[in-house]
Amino acid sequence: MIMARPKPIEEIIDEIKDFNKVLIAGCDGCVTVCEAGGVKEVQVLASALRLYFTKENKRMEIDETSLTRQCDKDYLHELLDKIDDYDAIVSLACGAGVQFMAEMYRKKPIFPGVDTCFIGVTEERGVWAERCQACGQCILASTGGICPISRCSKRMLNGPCGGSEKGKCEISPDTDCGWHLIYERLKELGQLDFFAEPTDPKDWVSSRDGGPRKIVREDVRL
Amino acid sequence: MRLRYPTNIKIIKVPCSGRVAIIHMLKALEEGADGVIVAGCLEGDCHYQSGNLRAKKRVIYVQEVLEKIGMEAERVAMYNLSAGDGPRFAEIAREMTEKVKELGPSPIKNAKKLASKKSKVEVAA
Amino acid sequence: MNTTTPSKLEKILAEGHFAVTSECGPPRGVNGEVVEEKANLIKDHVDAINVTDNQTSVVRLCSLAACIRIKQMGLEPVLQMVTRDRNRIGIQSDILGAASFGIDNILCLTGDHQHFGDHPQAINVFDLDSTQLIQTVKLMRDEGQLLGGFEMKERPNMFIGAAANPFADPFEIRVARLAKKVAAGCQFIQTQCIYNMEKFKTWMQQVRDQGLHEKVAILAGLTPMKNVGMAKYMKNRVPGIDVPDEIIERLAAVPKEKQADEGIKICIEQIEELKEEEGIRGFHIMAIEWEEKVPEIVEMAGLYPRPTVEISAN
């Protein structure tokens, strides 16, 4: 899923301080799972903001809502009737959701309430980690199901580098060496022949380097 | 036991301090409470293993939020005591009441009063 | 006008002469003499020679090495640097390297997307953009600092330039974008090749309205057309270039073997016209793989001989 973390409240206060009526819009998708932008986080943020603006004697109404998904127009449509009641929206969705909201409600200032970080997994409650960089050309078949692009700090395709030590990356003892993991897993799977062959330079056209990406599938279009 | 503790405290019973969410504490403050005590069992004694430890983390979270928005973090506090320890509860209630008195009334309560006065004047005019 | 760098280009501009620059594209191979041959063709007719940095994202001999060769010929190179291929570590390192060889001019560019080049599969870097590259060179030069905060004992003392395209869309933000580059520290501008004179003059008017022509020396970019095919190609296939139909019609109206001469003629007429445009401080003649025509253009446009200026040793 897409992982995000809440923006510091000071930053959000700064975004909305010049308005009088603001809607905090959560998203029930990924950001709910990583506890950054779901209903609960909307409530807490809205309450804290109300406390702040009340204390400052500033006229400010803060309302709360959450949409099933903000990356989907059908759900964004649910705001159509009430969007004009607000001066601005703080969206707690990922960057995609914030932008889609802005695209849909062009005249309304939309501010991000979270920092979108990566595509990852919940390793344990409160610990989320990156697993995928969406390069658009999955190579996991030959790397033991572990992605060197997201797990190696140098995104090497022929690692590990000389900085690998006791399974850890040279950048930090808290970071696993992606290639160490790959090697161990290939060994367990009896697939070390994948490791033996040099990997050629990758075609990054399908990654963000090729420009903004789009998938168009005629088979599922209406 | 007929223990005396300040009458200005409103008690909300929950099955475990782990039931107290961040939003509950914030809401109490929004409603104008001058302070919030989360009273949980002694550490290590939670019937649900770690409810009181979670509550502690949430109290710390709320304290941090308060600091960031310019309110006194001490308005929220976590206390651990045995459910049977009435005298300790009374003591905590007095302690917190004293602390909050020192801090003065919640700025929220003041602002709210001010706002309602204003609107009354507006209505009168 | 005071100069702050040892750049000859800066000095010529400061003395109020029209500056003339041209460019030299390095080869797609190791033969550095190609650069010297090209430089020799134009050296007496221009004040400084730009060396392109893997232009259109095609791998070529590096701009820095080619600039060093030009410098060692006793000429004045302008190091073009794009941010596509190097991060801030590589960029700053190359700036220091260039300065160590006495390269006094830098043209800060973002660079074409690699989509257009011979390695569309490449990762692009774009750690900085052109405006941030300007800021970086200025920081290194004026504050003696690297982006990471390290204080250097000696500073790269470069005359800072950038490109501007008056013809890209949306037109109304083009001057605002130039203003941003000027605010970042840009001292000279070489524009995209001009064919649509009317649009260019509208842009210059906006530049003057904001007083930018007094803060930055604008060199009008010109590329002579070799034939009508080139004109059509530029119009239809090259992004950000505006070729009006009149130019194509004019070239098409002359026999094929005369089209090159007509192209040169158009270019000279443009220079003559732009000399009268307030705020134009010089000309950047990009004769693509046609360097031998630069002297003719410069002479016919009345820009020859080039002024000599006293250059203090760095």
Side-chain angles (χ1 to χ4, degrees):
Chain A
M1 276 196 159
I2 293 168
M3 300 304 173
R5 82 177 132 223
K7 270 191 181 292
I9 190 162
E10 311 90 284
E11 215 174 299
I12 296 173
I13 289 172
D14 200 50
E15 286 173 354
I16 62 169
K17 62 181 186 308
D18 297 326
F19 300 103
N20 295 117
K21 193 165 180 192
V22 173
L23 180 67
I24 313 290
C27 178
D28 302 343
C30 310
V31 290
T32 297
V33 177
C34 62
E35 303 189 45
V39 174
K40 252 170 63 183
E41 293 74 30
V42 167
Q43 288 173 342
V44 168
L45 175 64
S47 179
L49 289 171
R50 280 191 293 265
L51 282 174
Y52 172 78
F53 288 110
T54 311
K55 177 181 74 77
E56 297 293 306
N57 292 314
K58 156 116 180 70
R59 190 165 73 83
M60 173 71 92
E61 264 183 78
I62 306 269
D63 285 351
E64 306 164 17
T65 190
S66 193
L67 304 174
T68 307
R69 282 197 296 278
Q70 291 194 23
C71 53
D72 203 320
K73 274 189 182 157
D74 290 343
Y75 298 113
L76 285 171
H77 254 296
E78 291 168 11
L79 293 183
L80 198 60
D81 294 336
K82 49 182 165 182
I83 194 99
D84 284 331
D85 297 345
Y86 298 97
D87 304 328
I89 315 289
V90 175
S91 162
L92 301 198
C94 70
V98 176
Q99 291 183 63
F100 219 30
M101 173 101 76
E103 272 175 52
M104 185 130 171
Y105 300 111
R106 294 184 60 86
K107 289 182 180 155
K108 212 45 73 179
I110 313 282
F111 298 102
V114 303
D115 289 315
T116 307
C117 300
F118 49 79
I119 300 176
V121 296
T122 309
E123 284 188 340
E124 57 182 90
R125 180 99 192 264
V127 179
W128 296 278
E130 178 162 26
R131 287 292 184 276
C132 177
Q133 293 208 337
C135 72
Q137 269 287 348
C138 195
I139 56 167
L140 286 168
S142 58
T143 57
I146 296 164
C147 174
I149 295 159
S150 53
R151 305 290 302 271
C152 167
S153 301
K154 298 176 183 172
R155 58 166 127 73
M156 292 175 74
L157 294 177
N158 292 290
C161 73
S164 177
E165 205 179 313
K166 296 193 182 98
K168 297 296 174 186
C169 173
E170 65 181 21
I171 65 157
S172 154
D174 300 329
T175 305
D176 290 328
C177 167
W179 272 101
H180 190 106
L181 297 174
I182 292 169
Y183 181 77
E184 292 295 332
R185 185 120 203 280
L186 286 175
K187 199 157 69 177
E188 275 173 45
L189 295 173
Q191 294 180 339
L192 276 179
D193 44 329
F194 279 125
F195 188 83
E197 278 298 304
T199 304
D200 289 340
K202 186 173 163 69
D203 182 347
W204 294 96
V205 163
S206 56
S207 79
R208 60 147 287 286
D209 299 276
R213 292 170 281 176
K214 188 177 251 185
I215 299 169
V216 180
R217 279 185 46 197
E218 292 303 335
D219 58 331
V220 290
R221 287 183 92 174
L222 294 176
Chain B
M1 265 192 290
R2 288 184 163 272
L3 292 163
R4 298 173 75 87
Y5 69 88
T7 54
N8 52 353
I9 287 187
K10 182 177 175 186
I11 294 180
I12 297 163
K13 290 182 191 165
V14 287
C16 169
S17 60
R19 177 68 187 87
V20 181
I22 289 164
I23 190 66
H24 298 137
M25 295 176 253
L26 290 173
K27 278 281 174 201
L29 294 168
E30 258 197 82
E31 295 295 321
D34 295 310
V36 179
I37 299 172
V38 177
C41 297
L42 291 167
E43 287 188 11
D45 280 358
C46 177
H47 182 68
Y48 305 100
Q49 309 280 354
S50 58
N52 50 1
L53 299 176
R54 289 179 170 203
K56 183 177 164 185
K57 285 187 178 176
R58 292 174 193 152
V59 168
I60 292 170
Y61 183 93
V62 173
Q63 289 173 333
E64 284 169 1
V65 169
L66 292 183
E67 253 166 35
K68 282 182 189 162
I69 62 172
M71 280 175 71
E72 303 90 349
E74 304 94 299
R75 290 192 187 274
V76 177
M78 173 90 196
Y79 285 96
N80 296 91
L81 68 159
S82 146
D85 196 349
R88 174 68 186 136
F89 177 76
E91 191 182 311
I92 287 167
R94 283 193 295 270
E95 197 180 301
M96 187 69 177
T97 306
E98 283 310 308
K99 199 193 286 171
V100 164
K101 267 187 187 159
E102 265 171 48
L103 294 173
S106 142
I108 303 304
K109 201 159 58 184
N110 279 344
K112 278 191 158 176
K113 265 188 207 157
L114 205 72
S116 73
K117 252 186 216 163
K118 249 194 222 163
S119 64
K120 269 176 206 158
V121 173
E122 277 164 24
V123 171
Chain C
M1 205 187 265
N2 291 327
T3 58
T4 57
T5 73
S7 159
K8 176 183 159 197
L9 178 60
E10 184 184 19
K11 195 148 267 181
I12 283 174
L13 287 163
E15 287 181 5
H17 306 288
F18 280 122
V20 178
T21 57
S22 185
E23 71 174 26
C24 186
R28 299 177 73 178
V30 295
N31 189 357
E33 283 167 20
V34 173
V35 176
E36 289 169 12
E37 283 161 21
K38 285 183 173 183
N40 270 325
L41 288 174
I42 57 178
K43 67 176 183 342
D44 297 326
H45 291 78
V46 300
D47 306 317
I49 302 170
N50 284 43
V51 181
T52 50
D53 180 6
N54 298 301
Q55 77 267 29
T56 62
S57 306
V58 170
V59 173
R60 290 169 184 276
L61 188 149
C62 82
S63 174
L64 176 53
C67 281
I68 292 168
R69 279 182 177 267
I70 290 173
K71 181 75 188 182
Q72 287 177 343
M73 292 167 74
L75 305 176
E76 175 93 349
V78 178
L79 176 70
Q80 293 199 184
M81 185 177 274
V82 301
T83 61
R84 177 191 60 231
D85 309 321
R86 276 158 292 200
N87 67 7
R88 62 189 79 187
I89 299 172
I91 283 174
Q92 293 179 103
S93 164
D94 281 357
I95 290 169
L96 295 179
S100 80
F101 278 97
I103 292 167
D104 301 326
N105 309 289
I106 184 167
L107 192 79
C108 302
L109 306 165
T110 302
D112 296 319
H113 193 277
Q114 74 276 9
H115 169 76
F116 299 102
D118 59 352
H119 292 78
Q121 317 85 350
I123 279 188
N124 54 45
V125 182
F126 297 124
D127 181 17
L128 308 176
D129 63 21
S130 51
T131 305
Q132 293 162 338
L133 177 55
I134 295 167
Q135 290 173 325
T136 304
V137 184
K138 187 174 161 64
L139 180 79
M140 292 170 79
R141 183 192 66 191
D142 295 352
E143 312 298 328
Q145 249 183 51
L146 297 180
L147 285 170
F150 177 79
E151 305 263 352
M152 296 176 286
K153 281 202 192 88
E154 285 127 0
R155 306 167 175 201
N157 201 359
M158 289 185 176
F159 188 43
I160 304 172
N165 184 0
F167 309 106
D169 293 322
F171 180 64
E172 64 268 26
I173 64 154
R174 290 294 134 193
V175 172
R177 187 148 184 278
L178 171 67
K180 234 185 211 187
K181 288 185 178 181
V182 173
C186 176
Q187 298 168 291
F188 72 98
I189 287 287
Q190 292 171 326
T191 75
Q192 177 62 284
C193 345
I194 303 160
Y195 297 106
N196 185 338
M197 292 290 272
E198 199 183 327
K199 198 164 186 183
F200 181 72
K201 286 180 176 181
T202 310
W203 182 77
M204 277 305 294
Q205 185 57 52
Q206 293 174 7
V207 167
R208 288 191 296 270
D209 289 346
Q210 291 201 25
L212 291 171
H213 64 304
E214 282 161 0
K215 295 181 185 155
V216 67
I218 296 171
L219 277 56
L222 300 155
T223 293
M225 296 287 195
K226 280 182 180 169
N227 49 52
V228 70
M230 175 180 172
K232 283 183 179 161
Y233 179 83
M234 298 269 260
K235 180 188 175 76
N236 300 321
R237 305 294 295 276
V238 185
I241 295 207
D242 181 345
V243 184
D245 290 333
E246 300 93 85
I247 300 262
I248 290 169
E249 283 158 18
R250 189 170 155 186
L251 287 165
V254 298
K256 207 160 185 205
E257 64 278 8
K258 293 272 170 80
Q259 285 177 356
D261 291 341
E262 194 66 18
I264 300 283
K265 218 172 127 194
I266 294 172
C267 183
I268 292 160
E269 286 170 20
Q270 284 182 311
I271 294 176
E272 290 294 356
E273 192 175 343
L274 289 168
K275 278 186 189 171
E276 306 301 319
E277 186 72 14
E278 189 191 349
I280 292 297
R281 305 271 303 279
F283 301 93
H284 179 52
I285 303 163
M286 297 164 273
I288 302 163
E289 296 302 320
W290 213 20
E291 287 84 358
E292 67 272 20
K293 289 288 177 185
V294 170
E296 182 184 331
I297 296 169
V298 173
E299 285 175 24
M300 305 265 286
L303 294 166
Y304 188 81
R306 300 305 310 144
T308 48
V309 289
E310 292 240 345
I311 302 291
S312 52
N314 327 352

